[in-house]
Amino acid sequence: MDSSLLNLVPVAEPETYAMMLAGLGILGFLTRRSKQS
């Protein structure tokens, strides 16, 4: 197996997951806040 093929597979870094979860949390907070008012 060619090693250059393995380098092309994208592996998300932990910071990517943290930023995604933070963004989803902010969206959830904003939608919950807008429903209450």
Side-chain angles (χ1 to χ4, degrees):
M1 180 129 194
D2 195 5
S3 62
S4 63
L5 269 179
L6 296 176
N7 292 337
L8 292 177
V9 178
V11 177
E13 297 180 2
E15 293 87 5
T16 308
Y17 291 118
M19 282 175 39
M20 186 177 68
L21 285 175
L24 289 175
I26 291 172
L27 284 177
F29 171 74
L30 290 177
T31 54
R32 190 179 65 181
R33 199 179 69 171
S34 66
K35 285 182 181 177
Q36 288 176 352
S37 61

